[in-house]
Amino acid sequence: MSGYKNFAVAGAGTLGIYIIDELLKEKATGKVEKVVVLTRSAAGNDALTAKGAVPIVVDYDSPSSLQSALQGIDAVISTLGGAALAVQEPLGDAAKAAGVKLFVPSEYGGDTTGRTEGLFGIKNAQRLRLGQIGLPWAIFVTGPFADWIWYQSYFGYDLANGKIEVGGAGNGVTSWTSRTDIARYLVYALTSLSESTLHNHVFKIEGERTTVNAALKGYEARTGKKLDITYVPIEEVQERLRKDPTDFKSFLALVFETDGTNGPKEEMNVEWPEFNPQTVVEAMVTYKP
Ligand SMILES: NC(=O)c1ccc[n+]([C@@H]2O[C@H](COP(=O)([O-])OP(=O)(O)OC[C@H]3O[C@@H](n4cnc5c(N)ncnc54)[C@H](OP(=O)(O)O)[C@@H]3O)[C@@H](O)[C@H]2O)c1
């Protein structure tokens, strides 16, 4: 076992709240001692405190503020949003100075290894930087959030209103993992695995690998609801991306249509064979906004 018992989560957002909840479940069993939540704001933290977390207001521009918040912390789990990744650099420096043993950078998507451009490039660079400052890291490659993504209309997926726009034919295979399962896997890993397994390790996790069409069909069968699905030819998706390389909706559609998997199936979930994740359809119907 790693022996990690004291955790700091940076950013209680879309994913962070699930990881905090899972850590607090383990706190109730005695496996975890302390769950600190780093936040920029003193307001709105009552619910976290009531559940047993310790919110600490930090200034990401102040090394002493970060170092003081990280005293006694074994592992920092960053769940900062995509627009906030730059603050992981000072956070990593402060973690090293405070004696933190492991840093989990904010990844939780496709494998960024070797990427140099866009959001994936930034994430990879952050991981390399952690190595440079001598802080062991672990990253979690999860694929798209199997519960959340279907309710994001700006990606073309508007399950709440029964309207879906698929980029391409919808038959490419993708690895999907729900936020509940990402949190379960991450907390299992950090509290149960040895440091030699955790340090500088890429965890590839997968709730289910399936196609967009199969997921939508499964949702219709499960709920009895008929979805209004339109298809955008893949050539048009490619053209949109050529015109605007920052068009994340088209980028995602292209990934899902070509290869959205996290790698060969035998490389998935290997550190926790008893994982037993939700299917994509289960994740779709249990989504909480
Ligand atoms: N695979 C997928 O489908 C998928 C989907 C969504 C996200 N992701 C990835 O998951 C990770 C977490 O994303 P998320 O959507 O959960 O994050 P989020 O909800 O956008 O943000 C998380 C927290 O980051 C803090 N934050 C925001 N802006 C900040 C700033 N400028 N400086 C410092 N802190 C800031 C906020 O906490 P405070 O206000 O309390 O400080 C916020 O609650 C990211 O790496 C993202 O790319 C993956």
Side-chain angles (χ1 to χ4, degrees), residues 135-239:
L135 196 52
W137 50 264
I139 70 164
F140 291 82
V141 173
T142 64
F145 298 170
D147 55 329
W148 174 89
I149 201 149
W150 305 101
Y151 295 83
Q152 309 309 313
S153 54
Y154 48 88
F155 290 146
Y157 298 150
D158 187 7
L159 212 49
N161 293 303
K163 273 183 82 72
I164 301 286
E165 180 191 299
V166 178
N171 292 322
V173 179
T174 290
S175 302
W176 316 82
T177 315
S178 72
R179 287 173 297 169
T180 307
D181 283 330
I182 294 169
R184 286 178 53 239
Y185 205 106
L186 185 149
V187 171
Y188 168 80
L190 266 56
T191 55
S192 304
L193 300 179
S194 66
E195 284 194 329
S196 61
T197 305
L198 280 169
H199 286 190
N200 304 339
H201 187 66
V202 178
F203 288 86
K204 293 186 175 182
I205 71 174
E206 175 182 273
E208 185 186 4
R209 65 175 55 199
T210 189
T211 68
V212 167
N213 281 340
L216 296 174
K217 226 171 155 184
Y219 176 85
E220 287 183 326
R222 171 79 170 261
T223 61
K225 292 179 188 160
K226 180 90 187 104
L227 296 169
D228 174 5
I229 306 173
T230 54
Y231 290 87
V232 177
I234 198 67
E235 296 75 20
E236 195 175 324
V237 173
Q238 285 165 327
E239 181 57 14

Side-chain angles (χ1 to χ4, degrees), residues 11-16 39-40 60 79-82 84 87 106-109 119 123 142-145 148-149:
T14 306
L15 177 64
T39 174
R40 293 163 303 160
Y60 286 100
T79 53
L80 291 162
V87 304
S106 191
E107 293 263 344
Y108 322 111
L119 182 65
K123 289 183 173 185
T142 64
F145 298 170
W148 174 89
I149 201 149

